[in-house]
Amino acid sequence: MLKQPTRYPELANAQLQPRYSGIATFFRTPLADQLSEVDIGILGIPFDGGATHRPGARHGPRAVREQSTLVRRYNQATGIGPFDLARVGDLGDAWVEQPFELTGALSEIESVLTAIVKARIVPLSVG
């Protein structure tokens, strides 16, 4: 973090920062650099190679990240804080090097998800 809060140190936690600030991650969870820091990993899959007539699904993960900043930390009805129950992190995107070759692209996405599962992380993919 470039700026360390001096008056409100609790704002160092991205979940407590204003929703309009910072880089958008899924549900304002931390961007996970190390797989060992995550129990549930949210992975963007910006790919629309299998879509017909209307490309654009590749922009889905970015749009979901933006909209998910509006999600509250606690469920108002139950009082449960899902992010208190597990270490949830944004794993970034499964960048596809072969977006125009469907079989190769799907193999790339599969290999990323396989690595996540091998790290004993529950994956949640968006895209």
Side-chain angles (χ1 to χ4, degrees):
M1 174 183 283
L2 292 175
K3 180 180 189 279
Q4 292 295 327
T6 55
R7 293 191 179 139
Y8 304 99
E10 64 274 8
L11 291 181
N13 178 346
Q15 286 278 316
L16 300 177
Q17 291 178 4
R19 288 180 170 87
Y20 53 82
S21 68
I23 297 171
T25 60
F26 289 118
F27 305 106
R28 295 187 297 150
T29 59
L31 188 59
D33 292 331
Q34 300 293 321
L35 294 181
S36 61
E37 301 170 350
V38 179
D39 297 319
I40 300 172
I42 309 170
L43 177 71
I45 302 179
F47 177 67
D48 58 7
T52 57
H53 305 299
R54 289 198 169 199
R58 65 182 170 258
H59 300 290
R62 180 175 294 176
V64 172
R65 280 184 176 101
E66 287 290 333
Q67 292 302 308
S68 73
T69 63
L70 301 173
V71 173
R72 295 179 183 263
R73 295 180 63 218
Y74 295 94
N75 181 304
Q76 289 182 316
T78 64
I80 294 174
F83 302 109
D84 295 339
L85 303 175
R87 299 176 303 165
V88 181
D90 188 330
L91 300 178
D93 287 337
W95 184 64
V96 178
E97 292 182 48
Q98 305 175 58
F100 302 111
E101 204 281 290
L102 186 59
T103 305
L106 294 177
S107 292
E108 288 182 64
I109 294 167
E110 180 182 13
S111 69
V112 172
L113 286 166
T114 298
I116 292 169
V117 171
K118 282 185 179 179
R120 303 186 70 129
I121 296 173
V122 175
L124 173 63
S125 62
V126 177

